[in-house]
Amino acid sequence: GQNIDQPTEMTATEGAIVQINCTYQTSGFNGLFWYQQHAGEAPTFLSYNVLDGLEEKGRFSSFLSRSKGYSYLLLKELQMKDSASYLCAVLDSNYQLIWGAGTKLIIKP
Amino acid sequence: GAVVSQHPSWVICKSGTSVKIECRSLDFQATTMFWYRQFPKQSLMLMATSNEGSKATYEQGVEKDKFLINHASLTLSTLTVTSAHPEDSSFYICSVPSGRSYNEQFFGPGTRLTVL
């Protein structure tokens, strides 16, 4: 079966750095997405990785290792507004998105 | 990116009634739209793919007679929850694919449905 694993909840301090991991087992791979979802709102796109390596975009970076079935989202200089759920999703061989359950990130002052 | 709206934002209805949710792509013509359902603290679950001018494609386990989808134009798709029951209470979200090769999706703001 297809499976996406990410931690249920993480806590970090304002101004610090946090890494949210995602591991996947899917039938085929056509890329991995990270989305941010604030409570009661729809997800918003953060990043897309299809090749191994690190993609940096401002305070957010996303890393992919296809051989390990592993990705992480790195958030630097955390702000209170970064408190949200972070969803990992993989595009499988049929170009269907397989979603993880999301990681709720709590930022403390 | 595309701007996607949903209406209503939230709805409360009695058990047995039908509820229609609209999804509009405001600045982007969408031949395809996706409908998701999300229960509290759970992942997004794809319900169906809405195709303009043809029948929707439903995911396994989703009752097509209960969740009616109509994609009548390139900017509007509707989801009707027929004979709603309390277990249908959920957050319903539509999305529009970007058309880029990597299938980035633009999500609507979602509709919170509560069935009493």
Side-chain angles (χ1 to χ4, degrees), chain A residues 35 42-45, chain B residues 1-4 23 28 34 93-100 103-108:
Chain A
Y35 280 85
T44 55
F45 172 81
Chain B
V3 178
V4 182
C23 176
F28 186 81
F34 300 104
I93 310 173
C94 70
S95 72
V96 171
S98 67
R100 296 193 186 106
N103 202 27
E104 173 189 350
Q105 295 185 31
F106 301 105
F107 287 89

Side-chain angles (χ1 to χ4, degrees), chain B:
Chain B
V3 178
V4 182
S5 71
Q6 276 184 245
H7 177 80
S9 300
W10 56 271
V11 57
I12 301 173
C13 69
K14 292 182 179 179
S15 186
T17 60
S18 294
V19 175
K20 180 187 283 188
I21 302 170
E22 293 184 349
C23 176
R24 292 184 184 274
S25 176
L26 299 182
D27 60 350
F28 186 81
Q29 292 189 326
T31 55
T32 300
M33 292 184 180
F34 300 104
W35 285 98
Y36 290 89
R37 180 167 54 183
Q38 186 178 33
F39 293 107
K41 298 184 179 181
Q42 293 188 25
S43 181
L44 291 169
M45 188 178 74
L46 180 66
M47 299 176 66
T49 302
S50 172
N51 304 300
E52 188 267 337
S54 65
K55 291 182 179 180
T57 305
Y58 289 82
E59 295 301 303
Q60 192 172 8
V62 178
E63 299 174 59
K64 61 181 180 181
D65 294 331
K66 179 170 180 63
F67 298 99
L68 301 178
I69 291 174
N70 187 330
H71 194 150
S73 76
L74 289 171
T75 58
L76 174 64
S77 175
T78 60
L79 168 69
T80 301
V81 183
T82 62
S83 187
H85 290 283
E87 57 264 31
D88 298 323
S89 298
S90 187
F91 193 46
Y92 291 86
I93 310 173
C94 70
S95 72
V96 171
S98 67
R100 296 193 186 106
S101 60
Y102 57 80
N103 202 27
E104 173 189 350
Q105 295 185 31
F106 301 105
F107 287 89
T111 297
R112 175 77 58 192
L113 171 63
T114 301
V115 184
L116 302 176

Side-chain angles (χ1 to χ4, degrees), chain A residues 1 8-9 12 23 34 53-54 57 63-64 66 70-71 73 79 87 101 105:
Chain A
T8 304
E9 187 173 297
T23 57
W34 283 97
L54 186 68
K57 193 184 294 184
F63 172 83
L64 175 67
R66 287 172 296 170
Y70 166 70
S71 172
L73 180 69
Q79 301 175 9
L87 308 177
L105 178 63

